[in-house]
Amino acid sequence: VQSVAPSQACGSGGDEESQRRWKDKICQILQEIQAPLSPLLLRLCHWMLPKLLCRLFLGLQLHRGQLEMLRAARTPDVPLVFLCTHQSQLDGPLLSFLLLSQGIGVPRVTGSAWVSPRLRSLLQCLGGIFLPSGMAQTWRDRDEGLPGAILDAYVQEVLQNCQPLVIFLEEPPSSLQLSAPARHWLLRVLRALRDGAVPDVLIVPVGISYDVAP
């Protein structure tokens, strides 16, 4: 991030006012990506979600054998990256609830680019993370400037802290097609591995399906 910001500030002279403006811009982009977790909202959501699921569905099935395999395969210094199918906007809170209730921890869950600002703020307090504005609409693997550098640093920090990371591969209602946001998130994981930020990651494929998608 420090190497990208001065290169974009050529001609500014590097004075204190310029540095302050760049710091404010970096903080603004970071706030678009994530917000601090809210323990109160997390507890409230995980109290309400089972009640909501019981009203929406007749039952919820979880493959406990595969969950036990996941626990056995975990190592303390290797972060978990869940690659998930995506059927509805309920998938994120549902998967976050399941992982937390099974003792895996609160994951950082990649969010859709097409949510409203209020819903985005709420999901960020529950662990949702989002691409900076302008990155979600297009796919480019180079020349992403300051937002791309901040996103790289953020994903590296998440992986180094061994926080579970959930990446949805699709954008509902489309399916069987890798979405542009998913390409951005996957690229960051690959760069973290390539640059040696983390020695390894444990990739966990996750399938979510509904008899009738909500």
Side-chain angles (χ1 to χ4, degrees):
V1 174
Q2 290 176 338
S3 64
V4 172
S7 69
Q8 294 190 356
C10 294
S12 63
D15 55 12
E16 185 175 343
E17 179 66 20
S18 174
Q19 293 178 5
R20 185 186 63 80
R21 286 198 304 268
W22 278 104
K23 183 178 180 180
D24 291 343
K25 187 173 182 178
I26 290 170
C27 291
Q28 179 182 358
I29 294 173
L30 186 59
Q31 288 172 359
E32 292 181 358
I33 298 174
Q34 64 102 47
L37 293 173
S38 170
L40 177 61
L41 280 177
L42 279 169
R43 287 195 295 268
L44 181 62
C45 178
H46 292 154
W47 174 76
M48 292 181 59
L49 192 58
K51 302 179 183 300
L52 174 63
L53 294 174
C54 289
R55 290 183 175 272
L56 287 176
F57 308 113
L58 295 177
L60 176 66
Q61 295 181 350
L62 175 65
H63 198 303
R64 292 193 174 274
Q66 293 180 352
L67 193 62
E68 292 301 325
M69 290 174 59
L70 173 61
R71 289 198 183 102
R74 289 189 68 183
T75 54
D77 298 328
V78 177
L80 294 171
V81 177
F82 296 87
L83 303 184
C84 309
T85 58
H86 201 9
Q87 303 295 322
S88 84
Q89 299 300 337
L90 188 61
D91 295 348
L94 173 61
L95 191 55
S96 177
F97 166 73
L98 289 176
L99 294 178
L100 183 59
S101 65
Q102 297 300 316
I104 296 176
V106 180
R108 287 294 185 173
V109 182
T110 60
S112 171
W114 314 113
V115 299
S116 65
R118 288 186 179 181
L119 181 57
R120 178 174 178 142
S121 298
L122 174 62
L123 292 176
Q124 283 182 321
C125 293
L126 297 174
I129 54 176
F130 296 84
L131 293 174
S133 56
M135 289 187 65
Q137 286 74 23
T138 59
W139 159 246
R140 295 181 301 172
D141 60 354
R142 59 185 66 186
D143 300 328
E144 293 173 328
L146 187 60
I150 294 173
L151 194 62
D152 282 335
Y154 176 78
V155 171
Q156 289 183 11
E157 188 75 14
V158 168
L159 296 178
Q160 287 172 348
N161 289 330
C162 288
Q163 286 184 272
L165 177 63
V166 175
I167 299 176
F168 288 112
L169 302 178
E170 307 158 333
E171 282 284 345
S174 301
S175 60
L176 302 179
Q177 182 178 358
L178 189 64
S179 66
R183 293 174 184 266
H184 284 290
W185 293 111
L186 290 171
L187 178 63
R188 268 66 208 183
V189 175
L190 291 174
R191 284 179 177 171
L193 285 168
R194 180 199 65 188
D195 297 340
V198 289
D200 198 4
V201 296
L202 181 59
I203 300 293
V204 183
V206 178
I208 301 176
S209 62
Y210 303 90
D211 290 335
V212 178

